Amino acid sequence: MHTVSLIIHGAAQVVTCASPNGAKRGAALADVGIVPDGAVAIDGERILAVGSSADILRDYHAEHTLDAAGKVVCPGFVDAHTHIVYGGHRLNEFEMRIGGVSYMDIMAAGGGIASTMRATRAAPFEVLLQEAGERLEEMVRLGTTTIEIKSGYGLDTATELKMLAVIEALQRQSPADIVPTFLGAHAIPPEYAGRADEYTALVIEEMLSAAGAWYRGSVFATSGRPLHADVFCEKNAFTTDQTRRILQAAREQGMAVKAHVDEFTALGGLTAALECGALSVDHLDVTAGAEITALAKSAAVGVVLPAVNFNLGSTHYANARAFIEAGAAVALATDLNPGSAPCPSMPLVMAMACRYQRLLPAEALNAATLNAAYALGMGADIGSLEAGKQADLLVLDMNDYRQLMYQFGGNPVRHVLKRGRIIL
Ligand code: NIG
Ligand code: FE
């Protein structure tokens, strides 16, 4: 009999999110692949087999076992869009928005991203690391086992590099897998006001190569995963043309690309990002018509971020149902950031997606795991419980996975396993 390092057995449900054909689209998104009275055999960092407890306990002998009786076992959550490294907070803007001032008006008046930029430039490396480290630990407690983290609050080369160095330091201290993203094109910094093309040139000619050089000497290069590059395509941020130029230059440097598009204004950023081979297009709050079809026909994943709409007090959410009906691959992420979404919780994001975007619980879970993994180019390795994949999984305090979305506001995560090791 084959001896493995760990068997988790007796689970009321093992929810696999397994998919033979890449990211889930259409009807496949509503299938989470439930194994009742299920078990998972793990050898080292990888899953060896998933099946009924009877089969797994018959076929494998384990050095350690974990009894998951009455619990749900599911893949670790993949948070494919976050900005967890930043200085300061935006509590004053929170109160302004409660008073009726809009996010875009605050940004136009020099607050918003620019206010966090000032705090991030002023913050010592150690403070940024300490605060982001606390956020990351909370996210892991909430079940996130892989997380994308963006730069983008420096907006000058030195501070963008400081943020990237913080992201690398987080990877050295956290069991979570981190995907680093260079977002020098997050806003036009005040010193370039009225000179957006000059700032775009700085991003292309100086920052991208500095970020590339940083990446080549970082732990991320050793892992073989590429550096990602992102642009905020929006009114008062970057135009479609600037977005295209930046993403093309990033591609030429070997980076994976993606973009914030259609958050407030439909500028055609989705089309531009797809032309540049984007892995994902994110936000999609005002995406309509031909661009929905274009997304559905592409390999890119549409990442929707309902915590942003909720936080901004909006009743308008990205039309995830229309994307799914059209055949697009949809994923969910928190967008954790100090302005538009101070939310660390993937379970809460799934709860919102079910209520405001009318995703079924199964669709929300696939969107927060398998499809999110594809949004990061990691779908072959993580995001589902399948033989050969990394053993990133959760034991949840419930006997039906739909409780994960039905309840909200608490934390049902009992255990977190990363690469086969119990980290919580
Ligand atoms: O994804 N939209 C641009 N970037 C962030 C917000 C950043 C901020 O407000 O600090 C987002 O929503
Ligand atoms: Fe964002």
Side-chain angles (χ1 to χ4, degrees):
M1 192 156 62
H2 195 102
T3 299
V4 298
S5 48
L6 175 66
I7 290 178
I8 304 171
H9 62 90
Q13 299 178 329
V14 170
V15 183
T16 65
C17 298
S19 169
N21 314 308
K24 293 198 184 202
R25 296 163 185 269
L29 203 53
D31 178 8
V32 280
I34 297 171
V35 184
D37 190 9
V40 183
I42 296 165
D43 206 21
E45 297 191 351
R46 301 267 152 188
I47 295 169
L48 200 64
V50 180
S52 71
S53 293
D55 287 352
I56 296 290
L57 291 171
R58 186 195 59 223
D59 294 347
Y60 299 96
H61 177 265
E63 287 163 17
H64 303 279
T65 56
L66 182 62
D67 184 354
K71 311 272 187 248
V72 166
V73 173
C74 76
F77 305 132
V78 178
D79 195 341
H81 181 140
T82 85
H83 311 247
I84 74 166
V85 179
Y86 59 82
H89 57 71
R90 305 244 285 276
L91 292 167
N92 49 345
E93 293 179 10
F94 176 48
E95 291 190 329
M96 284 166 76
R97 281 191 282 102
I98 292 169
V101 187
S102 78
Y103 177 85
M104 287 299 265
D105 287 344
I106 291 169
M107 182 166 140
I113 294 170
S115 117
T116 299
M117 175 208 77
R118 289 187 288 275
T120 305
R121 285 181 180 178
F125 174 91
E126 291 71 23
V127 173
L128 291 176
L129 178 58
Q130 170 71 24
E131 294 182 355
E134 286 165 14
R135 286 174 202 125
L136 180 54
E137 278 180 22
E138 186 182 15
M139 295 169 101
V140 171
R141 285 195 293 273
L142 288 158
T144 296
T145 50
T146 299
I147 177 175
E148 184 258 21
I149 307 177
K150 302 174 198 294
S151 72
Y153 290 117
L155 310 181
D156 61 33
T157 306
T159 316
E160 286 296 312
L161 288 172
K162 177 171 75 173
M163 291 188 71
L164 291 171
V166 171
I167 296 171
E168 181 176 15
L170 289 169
Q171 180 63 91
R172 289 184 188 278
Q173 71 185 35
S174 174
D177 279 317
I178 295 174
V179 174
T181 296
F182 167 69
L183 177 58
H186 195 191
I188 315 295
E191 59 273 23
Y192 280 87
R195 298 187 292 139
D197 270 328
E198 280 174 56
Y199 183 68
T200 301
L202 180 78
V203 170
I204 292 172
E205 285 153 27
E206 183 177 303
M207 288 190 187
L208 274 178
S209 40
W214 163 81
Y215 165 77
R216 286 187 291 279
S218 76
V219 291
F220 300 111
T222 328
S223 79
R225 293 198 297 274
L227 176 61
H228 292 223
D230 193 349
V231 177
F232 185 23
C233 183
E234 183 56 60
K235 200 169 136 227
N236 294 331
F238 295 85
T239 65
T240 305
D241 180 55
Q242 289 159 349
T243 300
R244 195 180 278 112
R245 281 176 3 227
I246 294 164
L247 294 184
Q248 260 160 11
R251 268 299 280 261
E252 282 159 20
Q253 301 227 11
M255 298 176 195
V257 304
K258 57 191 159 199
H260 289 64
V261 300
D262 296 343
E263 182 175 0
F264 300 100
T265 323
L267 298 177
L270 188 152
T271 304
L274 293 185
E275 279 168 20
C276 298
L279 262 182
S280 75
V281 282
D282 302 31
H283 282 290
L284 310 177
D285 298 292
V286 295
T287 306
E291 286 194 305
I292 296 181
T293 318
L295 173 60
K297 287 201 177 120
S298 78
V301 177
V303 180
V304 298
L305 307 163
V308 173
N309 316 97
F310 176 84
N311 178 60
L312 297 183
S314 172
T315 53
H316 179 87
Y317 287 74
N319 195 348
R321 270 274 47 96
F323 303 143
I324 294 170
E325 306 316 332
V330 169
L332 286 165
T334 60
D335 197 11
L336 192 155
N337 74 73
S340 70
C343 172
S345 171
M346 288 296 286
L348 183 57
V349 165
M350 285 185 269
M352 290 175 191
C354 290
R355 286 160 181 81
Y356 297 120
Q357 299 179 299
R358 296 195 299 115
L359 262 58
L360 292 166
E363 294 173 323
L365 187 61
N366 280 318
T369 55
L370 184 84
N371 281 10
Y374 278 98
L376 296 179
M378 297 171 72
D381 218 34
I382 58 166
S384 61
L385 304 183
E386 293 180 86
K389 281 201 170 180
Q390 208 164 281
D392 296 358
L393 50 94
L394 310 176
V395 179
L396 305 175
D397 256 326
M398 57 188 67
N399 60 17
D400 183 320
Y401 77 95
R402 294 172 298 178
Q403 292 275 359
L404 193 49
M405 301 79 190
Y406 173 70
Q407 302 173 348
F408 57 93
N411 182 5
V413 176
R414 169 68 69 95
H415 295 297
V416 179
L417 279 87
K418 182 68 188 177
R419 294 176 183 261
R421 207 165 56 80
I422 299 177
I423 59 172
L424 203 96

